[in-house]
Amino acid sequence: MEDSVKIALPESEIPRAWYNVAADLPEPLPPVLHPGTGQPIGPQDLAPLFPMALIAQEVSTERDVEIPDEVRDIYRQWRPTPLYRARRLEQALDTPARIYYKYEGLSPAGSHKPNTAVAQAWYNKQEGVSRITTETGAGQWGSALSMAGAFLGIEIEVFMVRVSFDQKPYRRAMMEGFGARCVASPSSETNAGRAILAEHPDSTGSLGIAISEAVERAAGRDDTKYALGSVLNHVLLHQTVAGLEAKTQLEIAGDYPDVIVGCTGGGSNFAGIAFPFLGEKLRDGRNLRCVAVEPAACPTLTRGKYAYDFGDTSHLTPLVKMHTLGSTFVPPGFHAGGLRYHGMAPLISHLAQLDLLEARNYQQLECFAAGLQFARCEGIVPAPEANHAVKGAIDEALRCKEEGTSQTILFNLCGHGHFDMQAYIDYLGGKLVDQEYDESELAMALSGLPSVAAG
Amino acid sequence: MEDSVKIALPESEIPRAWYNVAADLPEPLPPVLHPGTGQPIGPQDLAPLFPMALIAQEVSTERDVEIPDEVRDIYRQWRPTPLYRARRLEQALDTPARIYYKYEGLSPAGSHKPNTAVAQAWYNKQEGVSRITTETGAGQWGSALSMAGAFLGIEIEVFMVRVSFDQKPYRRAMMEGFGARCVASPSSETNAGRAILAEHPDSTGSLGIAISEAVERAAGRDDTKYALGSVLNHVLLHQTVAGLEAKTQLEIAGDYPDVIVGCTGGGSNFAGIAFPFLGEKLRDGRNLRCVAVEPAACPTLTRGKYAYDFGDTSHLTPLVKMHTLGSTFVPPGFHAGGLRYHGMAPLISHLAQLDLLEARNYQQLECFAAGLQFARCEGIVPAPEANHAVKGAIDEALRCKEEGTSQTILFNLCGHGHFDMQAYIDYLGGKLVDQEYDESELAMALSGLPSVAAG
């Protein structure tokens, strides 16, 4: 039998602490600002939205943040996830590169999202919160939080972008199956939603709008908090379980990555796989490239501005410094719904600014082609979001082939595509086209960025 | 941290041999008969359809059948699968029982089917077969074989029951994504299909018809063989990897099942989990109950006749002695498409006849209710087929509660429900009803059983 294709770990190897890259940054993150005063916000400003433990994690610079036993207990349902060596893909590409992928699609909700959903729900539970509101695009995050709510006995209310609510009923069914309440956004249940509907009765919604609705609901009720599935520091922190496990698994394989690839929407799955390795680079000067892959139709890192901006459309959130296309930018309706966000995690943005990671973008057709090549070799049909990482990894492997270098490539296969098969039907039927954003709309969105004193 | 919830095994623990229950049967299986002569068939009669290695397995009485290294290599993509202790479900049921489930839905195709698909494709490959035809209902089997074909470079042609072809495009997309050709059955590509269409132009098809089409195609071409996803001895054999792993995993947990539960359509997932334990019962007289759960609307074991019958509608197959509702019986269109077959595996039927297993049936509404209770506890949304096993296991756990006995229950969670969310939508929306078969149709189908000399 040939060498291992799957490096499994026992439950005892689930990390006991998340890795906080803030501990190793050469320069600290710019502060989060209050939109009214332009001054850095304090914990009390966030208290209506988040439990104090998560607010503390948001600003922590402690390197290792202990994972509560009860959270690890729930992690054991699907963690450690396997690290795969993509041997059949390597053969198909005829590359000297070694390609590894961490497969987060084996979680019950089908993506990396439960890593933070369970943690967030648990901290909320500890502080007596009985209801959590959130937004979801395609539904990966919403279903993960709904599952966490079912496990922990917390009511979950999900504002789901209307276009997905209507077109992707299956993720909604999963959320409702877990007992969550799922509302099409914009809705008539919030001021933010009603304002949008008054102006655009046929609005198909956006993540920015859904965030506004969820935030408004949480802010207005004492027993209710809000949860975000990406972007924030504590969310990225929770995702580092993936990279920490991968590090142990690569040690077992006697390997270490030369290149790490991940797709980026809000930035959390990329952070999860890359930060634990990036931390070693920051501390020990390891030679390592980190490649963030985003859709060409929503090119936050590659075309956005690094500036203070709102996280939502109705400007209810604080201002964070990040790569942004402008909070009013609405990307075209390509299939990787999880990557259709105008902003990027401040930590990822900061690291990009410091030249600690590279960004590139791809069109969706080339990503679906890569995803199917991967599926035929590895059996797993990736989510459209994950196809961006697959494409990035394949391109790195082909570069190695051209250069004749035997590098180690690690990527995060953040989810399966079982709820996205219509996209594959469209692709196989030749009905899928590449999407272009409108340059003048982007220019307008960028020109509308709030003016604040730089942090 | 509490005791383990997931018992994982390293790759080295993938079994090296399948377990063949034929070695331990108190009475041998009745022979397979030629429909023309009524005489037992020989290997040459099956040679147009199957490679010789699989024909040999079909009649083997060797206890341990070695798994080829190359098949184990591919198994490593998803095997060993975890054995879970359903602690949250136990708590929710407040039962003293210990509930374990073997989760086969983690395979790339989402069910136990790849266990045999990969093996069958590999043996075909060894004998120079370049194309395999098959049938599929809801698509679990078709997608598994398509994946195996993609791995091994074999063309796959799937006759998919038309009602599923039209209503369940996502599994079809998965098959096509793997590069397979998927044809709606009945089709105009075969005599069997054309004959049905001539009589019923709007026929929505059935597994029996699709089998006829696939068999006809394979019989007519030298480079082409046929593969079946359940029922046959060699298929059940390949599935025993699940039970063998579960045995090792329960040893690690220091436990042994009092009851094993599985759902039965053709019988292969039930056989896979139960046979390795049943073998110990047969050899050592272990105390063990095996419970086969089937849909009330297709009650093959609980209402069928144990008799010689055809495996397909057009009567192209040999005659096998099995529990059958009659090859012309068309069950109503309930959601567990994988359980809508008129017959039952001869091995399962034989064991039922020998009182070595119990059978019971459930309506679909109670199965969906059980599936959602499971999902909210364990996070996994089961396939409608698997919900039957979940319901059976829950009922056993409730019996233990009533009796105050702390028994060990093991069931096979044979697949996830990601491609069946419409059924959950219908269930949650109150649109799902229990289905009843037509008693007079059943009586007619049973009266049409072929008359042959008993084997």
Side-chain angles (χ1 to χ4, degrees), chain A residues 1-6 11 72-73 76-77 79-80 84 88 101 106 108 147 150-151 169-170 173-174 176-179 372 375-379 381 416 418-419 421-422 425 428, chain B residues 1-6 11 72-73 76-77 79-80 84 88 101 106 108 147 150-151 169-170 173-174 176-179 372 375-379 381 416 418-419 421-422 425 428:
Chain A
M1 197 176 290
E2 64 184 31
D3 292 337
S4 189
V5 295
K6 179 171 94 264
E11 284 184 10
R72 283 189 81 227
D73 260 1
R76 295 188 298 162
Q77 180 74 19
R79 308 211 67 87
Y84 285 101
R88 280 186 296 268
Y101 58 98
L106 292 179
M147 182 192 85
F151 285 177
Y170 294 166
M174 195 181 210
E176 290 172 353
F178 285 135
L372 277 185
R376 290 176 191 186
C377 292
E378 301 293 314
V381 179
H416 61 62
H418 301 168
F419 292 85
M421 294 310 292
Q422 189 59 50
I425 293 175
L428 289 165
Chain B
M1 197 176 291
E2 64 184 31
D3 290 338
S4 190
V5 295
K6 180 172 93 263
E11 283 184 11
R72 282 188 83 228
D73 260 0
R76 296 189 297 161
Q77 181 74 20
R79 305 213 69 85
Y84 285 99
R88 279 185 295 269
Y101 58 99
L106 291 179
M147 183 192 84
F151 285 178
Y170 295 166
M174 196 180 208
E176 291 173 351
F178 285 135
L372 277 185
R376 289 174 192 186
C377 291
E378 300 294 312
V381 179
H416 62 62
H418 301 168
F419 292 85
M421 294 310 292
Q422 188 59 49
I425 293 175
L428 289 165

Side-chain angles (χ1 to χ4, degrees), chain A residues 70-352:
Chain A
E70 291 87 343
V71 172
R72 283 189 81 227
D73 260 1
I74 300 179
Y75 276 175
R76 295 188 298 162
Q77 180 74 19
W78 69 95
R79 308 211 67 87
T81 60
L83 179 78
Y84 285 101
R85 171 87 183 267
R87 290 187 186 273
R88 280 186 296 268
L89 180 63
E90 290 171 16
Q91 275 167 22
L93 297 172
D94 188 24
T95 176
R98 292 181 300 284
I99 308 175
Y100 295 90
Y101 58 98
K102 181 75 170 163
Y103 186 33
E104 292 292 303
L106 292 179
S107 80
S111 77
H112 61 297
K113 295 292 189 188
N115 296 333
T116 185
V118 164
Q120 291 191 52
W122 186 83
Y123 285 113
N124 273 284
K125 178 92 178 173
Q126 292 310 104
E127 299 188 23
V129 174
S130 60
R131 189 189 296 113
I132 301 176
T133 66
T134 197
E135 73 293 325
T136 201
Q140 295 269 27
W141 164 241
S143 48
L145 190 65
S146 300
M147 182 192 85
F151 285 177
L152 290 160
I154 299 178
E155 236 179 87
I156 305 291
E157 192 172 273
V158 183
F159 289 88
M160 185 173 189
V161 176
R162 176 170 284 286
V163 61
S164 296
F165 185 92
D166 290 338
Q167 289 177 1
K168 301 194 169 176
Y170 294 166
R171 279 253 169 229
R172 171 157 58 100
M174 195 181 210
M175 294 183 240
E176 290 172 353
F178 285 135
R181 180 164 174 265
C182 193
V183 184
S185 166
S187 78
S188 58
E189 298 192 9
T190 64
N191 292 329
R194 285 188 291 269
I196 300 277
L197 287 174
E199 211 175 326
H200 308 285
D202 299 327
S203 168
T204 54
S206 74
L207 269 177
I209 296 169
I211 293 175
S212 295
E213 292 206 271
V215 164
E216 181 187 327
R217 279 285 268 228
R221 292 189 293 198
D222 276 350
D223 59 348
T224 305
K225 300 279 183 201
Y226 165 74
L228 188 64
S230 187
V231 179
L232 299 179
N233 302 345
H234 68 269
V235 182
L236 276 56
L237 173 76
H238 301 155
Q239 291 297 349
T240 59
V241 281
L244 290 165
E245 286 176 7
K247 214 145 69 77
T248 306
Q249 289 162 315
L250 283 173
E251 271 164 33
I252 291 171
D255 220 330
Y256 197 89
D258 297 292
V259 192
I260 297 177
V261 181
C263 63
T264 44
S268 74
N269 94 74
F270 175 77
I273 194 78
F275 281 5
F277 296 94
L278 201 54
E280 295 195 320
K281 175 179 172 140
L282 289 167
R283 293 194 302 276
D284 313 334
R286 275 243 185 210
N287 204 6
L288 169 70
R289 290 172 53 228
C290 292
V291 181
V293 183
E294 59 185 16
C298 190
T300 318
L301 279 169
T302 50
R303 292 293 314 278
K305 213 169 143 179
Y306 185 54
Y308 273 100
D309 198 7
F310 291 98
D312 72 323
T313 305
S314 299
H315 298 179
L316 302 177
T317 70
L319 293 168
V320 290
K321 193 157 187 188
M322 62 180 176
H323 284 81
T324 178
L325 299 165
S327 65
T328 60
F329 178 77
V330 177
F334 55 87
H335 272 289
L339 308 181
R340 293 179 69 241
Y341 184 59
H342 71 274
M344 179 54 59
L347 274 171
I348 302 280
S349 298
H350 185 62
L351 288 162

